[in-house]
Short mmCIF file of all heavy atoms in Angstrom, two decimals:
data_model
loop_
_atom_site.label_atom_id
_atom_site.label_comp_id
_atom_site.label_asym_id
_atom_site.label_seq_id
_atom_site.Cartn_x
_atom_site.Cartn_y
_atom_site.Cartn_z
N SER A 1 194.81 49.40 81.00
CA SER A 1 194.19 48.12 81.35
C SER A 1 192.66 48.10 81.15
O SER A 1 191.96 47.36 81.80
CB SER A 1 194.53 47.81 82.83
OG SER A 1 194.01 48.80 83.66
N ILE A 2 192.20 48.89 80.22
CA ILE A 2 190.75 48.98 79.96
C ILE A 2 190.19 47.62 79.56
O ILE A 2 189.06 47.29 79.86
CB ILE A 2 190.41 50.06 78.93
CG1 ILE A 2 188.90 50.37 78.92
CG2 ILE A 2 190.89 49.71 77.56
CD1 ILE A 2 188.40 51.13 80.12
N GLY A 3 191.00 46.82 78.95
CA GLY A 3 190.60 45.44 78.56
C GLY A 3 190.30 44.54 79.75
O GLY A 3 189.59 43.58 79.64
N ALA A 4 190.86 44.92 80.92
CA ALA A 4 190.67 44.10 82.13
C ALA A 4 189.36 44.44 82.84
O ALA A 4 188.93 43.74 83.73
CB ALA A 4 191.84 44.31 83.09
N PHE A 5 188.73 45.56 82.43
CA PHE A 5 187.47 45.95 83.07
C PHE A 5 186.38 44.99 82.62
O PHE A 5 186.06 44.82 81.45
CB PHE A 5 187.06 47.37 82.66
CG PHE A 5 185.79 47.82 83.24
CD1 PHE A 5 185.64 47.95 84.59
CD2 PHE A 5 184.70 48.13 82.42
CE1 PHE A 5 184.44 48.36 85.15
CE2 PHE A 5 183.49 48.55 82.97
CZ PHE A 5 183.36 48.71 84.34
N ARG A 6 185.81 44.24 83.63
CA ARG A 6 184.87 43.20 83.33
C ARG A 6 183.41 43.66 83.43
O ARG A 6 182.48 42.88 83.17
CB ARG A 6 185.08 42.00 84.27
CG ARG A 6 186.45 41.38 84.08
CD ARG A 6 186.61 40.18 84.95
NE ARG A 6 186.52 40.48 86.36
CZ ARG A 6 187.44 40.52 87.26
NH1 ARG A 6 188.67 40.14 86.88
NH2 ARG A 6 187.25 40.84 88.51
N GLY A 7 183.20 44.88 83.85
CA GLY A 7 181.85 45.39 83.95
C GLY A 7 181.09 44.89 85.16
O GLY A 7 179.86 44.97 85.21
N GLU A 8 181.78 44.34 86.17
CA GLU A 8 181.12 43.84 87.39
C GLU A 8 180.70 44.97 88.32
O GLU A 8 179.97 44.76 89.26
CB GLU A 8 182.06 42.87 88.12
CG GLU A 8 182.34 41.61 87.29
CD GLU A 8 183.38 40.74 87.95
OE1 GLU A 8 183.94 41.10 88.97
OE2 GLU A 8 183.63 39.66 87.37
N CYS A 9 181.18 46.18 88.05
CA CYS A 9 180.79 47.35 88.81
C CYS A 9 180.69 48.52 87.82
O CYS A 9 181.05 48.38 86.66
CB CYS A 9 181.78 47.64 89.92
SG CYS A 9 183.45 48.02 89.34
N LYS A 10 180.23 49.65 88.32
CA LYS A 10 180.18 50.81 87.46
C LYS A 10 181.59 51.25 87.09
O LYS A 10 182.53 51.09 87.86
CB LYS A 10 179.51 51.98 88.21
CG LYS A 10 178.02 51.77 88.44
CD LYS A 10 177.49 53.01 89.12
CE LYS A 10 176.03 52.89 89.40
NZ LYS A 10 175.49 54.09 90.08
N LEU A 11 181.70 51.85 85.92
CA LEU A 11 183.00 52.30 85.48
C LEU A 11 183.57 53.32 86.44
O LEU A 11 184.80 53.30 86.73
CB LEU A 11 182.88 52.89 84.06
CG LEU A 11 184.19 53.30 83.37
CD1 LEU A 11 185.14 52.10 83.30
CD2 LEU A 11 183.86 53.82 81.98
N SER A 12 182.74 54.21 86.97
CA SER A 12 183.23 55.23 87.92
C SER A 12 183.78 54.55 89.21
O SER A 12 184.76 55.03 89.72
CB SER A 12 182.10 56.19 88.27
OG SER A 12 181.05 55.51 88.89
N VAL A 13 183.20 53.48 89.63
CA VAL A 13 183.68 52.75 90.83
C VAL A 13 185.02 52.15 90.52
O VAL A 13 185.95 52.23 91.32
CB VAL A 13 182.67 51.70 91.26
CG1 VAL A 13 183.24 50.79 92.36
CG2 VAL A 13 181.35 52.34 91.72
N TRP A 14 185.17 51.53 89.35
CA TRP A 14 186.45 50.94 88.96
C TRP A 14 187.57 52.00 88.88
O TRP A 14 188.66 51.80 89.40
CB TRP A 14 186.26 50.26 87.59
CG TRP A 14 187.47 49.55 87.07
CD1 TRP A 14 188.07 48.45 87.60
CD2 TRP A 14 188.24 49.87 85.90
NE1 TRP A 14 189.14 48.06 86.85
CE2 TRP A 14 189.28 48.94 85.79
CE3 TRP A 14 188.11 50.85 84.95
CZ2 TRP A 14 190.18 48.95 84.74
CZ3 TRP A 14 189.04 50.89 83.91
CH2 TRP A 14 190.04 49.92 83.83
N LEU A 15 187.25 53.13 88.31
CA LEU A 15 188.23 54.24 88.21
C LEU A 15 188.58 54.75 89.58
O LEU A 15 189.77 55.03 89.86
CB LEU A 15 187.67 55.38 87.37
CG LEU A 15 187.50 55.11 85.85
CD1 LEU A 15 186.63 56.16 85.18
CD2 LEU A 15 188.84 54.93 85.20
N CYS A 16 187.62 54.86 90.48
CA CYS A 16 187.90 55.35 91.88
C CYS A 16 188.70 54.27 92.64
O CYS A 16 189.55 54.67 93.45
CB CYS A 16 186.59 55.67 92.60
SG CYS A 16 185.86 57.22 92.01
N GLN A 17 188.48 53.01 92.34
CA GLN A 17 189.29 51.96 93.01
C GLN A 17 190.76 52.08 92.60
O GLN A 17 191.64 51.94 93.39
CB GLN A 17 188.78 50.57 92.67
CG GLN A 17 187.46 50.24 93.37
CD GLN A 17 186.89 48.94 92.85
OE1 GLN A 17 187.17 48.45 91.76
NE2 GLN A 17 186.06 48.32 93.70
N ILE A 18 190.98 52.33 91.33
CA ILE A 18 192.33 52.52 90.82
C ILE A 18 192.96 53.74 91.51
O ILE A 18 194.13 53.65 92.00
CB ILE A 18 192.32 52.71 89.28
CG1 ILE A 18 191.90 51.40 88.55
CG2 ILE A 18 193.72 53.16 88.80
CD1 ILE A 18 191.64 51.56 87.07
N ALA A 19 192.24 54.85 91.58
CA ALA A 19 192.75 56.06 92.21
C ALA A 19 193.03 55.81 93.69
O ALA A 19 194.06 56.27 94.21
CB ALA A 19 191.73 57.20 92.05
N LYS A 20 192.17 55.07 94.36
CA LYS A 20 192.35 54.78 95.79
C LYS A 20 193.61 53.94 95.97
O LYS A 20 194.42 54.22 96.88
CB LYS A 20 191.13 54.02 96.34
CG LYS A 20 191.29 53.64 97.80
CD LYS A 20 190.14 52.76 98.27
CE LYS A 20 190.28 51.40 97.61
NZ LYS A 20 189.35 50.40 98.02
N ASN A 21 193.86 52.96 95.13
CA ASN A 21 195.06 52.15 95.24
C ASN A 21 196.32 52.96 95.02
O ASN A 21 197.29 52.81 95.72
CB ASN A 21 195.01 50.97 94.24
CG ASN A 21 193.96 49.98 94.65
OD1 ASN A 21 193.58 49.86 95.80
ND2 ASN A 21 193.50 49.18 93.65
N ILE A 22 196.26 53.87 94.05
CA ILE A 22 197.39 54.77 93.78
C ILE A 22 197.65 55.65 95.01
O ILE A 22 198.79 55.82 95.44
CB ILE A 22 197.14 55.64 92.53
CG1 ILE A 22 197.14 54.76 91.29
CG2 ILE A 22 198.22 56.72 92.40
CD1 ILE A 22 196.61 55.41 90.05
N PHE A 23 196.53 56.20 95.58
CA PHE A 23 196.65 57.07 96.74
C PHE A 23 197.35 56.35 97.90
O PHE A 23 198.31 56.83 98.51
CB PHE A 23 195.35 57.62 97.18
CG PHE A 23 195.39 58.24 98.55
CD1 PHE A 23 195.94 59.45 98.76
CD2 PHE A 23 194.86 57.56 99.66
CE1 PHE A 23 196.01 60.03 100.04
CE2 PHE A 23 194.90 58.12 100.91
CZ PHE A 23 195.52 59.35 101.09
N PHE A 24 196.84 55.14 98.23
CA PHE A 24 197.39 54.43 99.38
C PHE A 24 198.84 53.99 99.14
O PHE A 24 199.68 54.05 100.03
CB PHE A 24 196.51 53.24 99.73
CG PHE A 24 195.28 53.65 100.51
CD1 PHE A 24 194.00 53.35 100.00
CD2 PHE A 24 195.38 54.33 101.67
CE1 PHE A 24 192.90 53.76 100.69
CE2 PHE A 24 194.21 54.75 102.35
CZ PHE A 24 192.98 54.43 101.85
N THR A 25 199.17 53.61 97.90
CA THR A 25 200.56 53.23 97.62
C THR A 25 201.45 54.42 97.76
O THR A 25 202.54 54.35 98.39
CB THR A 25 200.64 52.68 96.15
OG1 THR A 25 199.81 51.53 96.06
CG2 THR A 25 202.07 52.34 95.82
N GLU A 26 201.05 55.57 97.23
CA GLU A 26 201.86 56.78 97.29
C GLU A 26 201.97 57.29 98.75
O GLU A 26 203.02 57.77 99.19
CB GLU A 26 201.32 57.84 96.39
CG GLU A 26 202.05 59.15 96.38
CD GLU A 26 203.49 59.07 95.86
OE1 GLU A 26 203.84 58.08 95.20
OE2 GLU A 26 204.26 59.99 96.11
N ALA A 27 200.85 57.22 99.50
CA ALA A 27 200.86 57.67 100.89
C ALA A 27 201.83 56.86 101.73
O ALA A 27 202.58 57.41 102.51
CB ALA A 27 199.44 57.64 101.46
#
């Protein structure tokens, strides 16, 4: 979904948000 990245935040923040969502879903 790299095409969905709008640049409204740092790329590292976007990646960490994705990881956080995966973590909470899996938890």
Side-chain angles (χ1 to χ4, degrees):
S1 61
I2 194 72
F5 179 64
R6 296 184 300 249
E8 295 173 357
C9 62
K10 291 181 180 180
L11 186 56
S12 61
V13 171
W14 183 66
L15 293 166
C16 286
Q17 287 173 336
I18 294 170
K20 178 185 71 173
N21 291 337
I22 293 168
F23 166 74
F24 284 120
T25 300
E26 180 65 15

